[in-house]
Amino acid sequence: MEWGEALGADISSSSLGYLDWYSYCDMDGNTAVTTKSVDIASSLGMLCVTSAGNWGGTMPNQDPCQIPLEHYISAPADADSVISVGAVYGTGEIVYFSSRGPSYDGRIKPEVCAMGAGVIGVQVGSQDNVTTIYTGTSASCPLVSGAAAIIMSAKPDWTAMQVRQAMLSTASNHIAPDTVLGYGIINIADALDFEFSTSSLLSENIVDDFHISNPYPNPFNPKVFFDLDIGSDAFVKIEILNLNGKTISTLLNGNIGASQTSYFWDGSGLSSGIYFIRVTANERHFLQKISLIK
């Protein structure tokens, strides 16, 4: 992943999962080495897609901290910046083995699903394009990665996180996401038509009467600092959002005069991942992405 990012790759597709030395308690978006790697790559602008795992047909351990992991998603599918992919039949029903969510800290997993049973593909190592049948979330994951590549090609001005949001927001189960299908089966056409509203998590409206500096350090642990320059009196709100757009902290919510002020946010007690600083002034928004790495 590091090699690919250094060469300018936009998407990482990984059909792997680590469970032999992890328990469900470790699937918190903060513990596994591969999970941390995904968060770092995401903070650098790469879209990371990974298999949810093929352990859904097993019974969960009575002790969630027992090793090895059973039933649930495996690292790095627990990362909060990743697109973890479950498997469905051609009918749209979940395949029995597709690993289930949520993450141990309660986030929706998997993010999306794609066909993962009876998938026709070129046989590995074939010199004559001989096809074979693939089954597993290792088959559904590259389908989603390919879909993401199509969207990125059609929408070159979208960031990796905007592509992720468009895919989740237009999947078949997005109105009521669950821990089996997640946000549902992807729909490329609908994702391409997705419009980011002015209040959308990933929309950025840069205005000339206030400015937020680049956060520093970034990635950070546990504190990140930034400067806010307000050119005129305004009602200002500064929030910290998680990757799903939920406000997890409010740093300021009130009237302030023209000023340049330094602020900081302490991410102690939260898992590694992508967060956003959102500044709202007079109903206009400015967004900065930050990455907490522990």
Side-chain angles (χ1 to χ4, degrees), residues 16-283:
L16 53 79
Y18 294 94
L19 70 158
D20 288 341
W21 51 88
Y22 292 119
S23 71
Y24 182 47
C25 290
D26 296 320
M27 298 300 103
D28 58 0
N30 186 45
T31 300
V33 173
T34 51
T35 299
K36 294 178 181 179
S37 297
V38 163
D39 285 334
I40 293 172
S42 297
S43 73
L44 296 173
M46 178 180 280
L47 180 62
C48 299
V49 186
T50 194
S51 300
N54 298 332
W55 333 118
T58 62
M59 293 296 294
N61 295 321
Q62 290 186 346
D63 177 3
C65 295
Q66 178 182 334
I67 296 174
L69 172 71
E70 301 283 359
H71 187 72
Y72 297 106
I73 49 112
S74 55
D78 62 310
D80 63 4
S81 53
V82 79
I83 299 179
S84 61
V85 185
V88 294
Y89 294 106
T91 60
E93 299 295 320
I94 194 71
V95 181
Y96 74 93
F97 58 71
S98 186
S99 289
R100 306 303 204 265
S103 64
Y104 186 66
D105 57 325
R107 289 172 287 116
I108 292 292
K109 292 289 177 178
E111 269 75 17
V112 297
C113 286
M115 190 168 172
V119 178
I120 300 174
V122 175
Q123 186 173 345
V124 176
S126 170
Q127 300 297 316
D128 301 310
N129 295 328
V130 175
T131 60
T132 188
I133 302 296
Y134 293 96
T135 293
T137 56
S138 292
S140 58
C141 173
L143 294 179
V144 172
S145 301
I150 291 172
I151 296 169
M152 276 192 170
S153 297
K155 302 288 186 178
D157 56 326
W158 284 8
T159 66
M161 289 298 102
Q162 284 178 308
V163 172
R164 181 183 186 274
Q165 185 185 2
M167 295 180 77
L168 270 60
S169 298
T170 56
S172 62
N173 203 37
H174 72 275
I175 294 177
D178 57 33
T179 59
V180 178
L181 291 171
Y183 288 83
I185 301 167
I186 60 169
N187 187 314
I188 297 176
D190 286 351
L192 288 171
D193 289 336
F194 183 73
E195 295 184 1
F196 298 95
S197 67
T198 56
S199 61
S200 171
L201 167 63
L202 295 174
S203 64
E204 297 186 27
N205 300 307
I206 300 175
V207 297
D208 57 10
D209 59 347
F210 71 95
H211 173 73
I212 181 174
S213 69
N214 289 326
Y216 57 93
N218 193 21
F220 69 98
N221 180 29
K223 294 182 179 181
V224 62
F225 300 82
F226 58 95
D227 302 321
L228 183 63
D229 188 0
I230 301 291
S232 58
D233 294 352
F235 186 90
V236 177
K237 189 173 186 179
I238 304 176
E239 302 165 278
I240 305 297
L241 312 179
N242 64 17
L243 201 58
N244 294 321
K246 180 180 179 181
T247 299
I248 58 175
S249 180
T250 300
L251 305 183
L252 176 66
N253 188 23
N255 289 298
I256 62 173
S259 61
Q260 183 174 10
T261 309
S262 295
Y263 296 88
F264 76 91
W265 177 59
D266 190 336
S268 298
L270 293 173
S271 62
S272 297
I274 303 299
Y275 296 89
F276 297 89
I277 303 169
R278 182 170 68 183
V279 180
T280 304
N282 298 331
E283 298 184 353

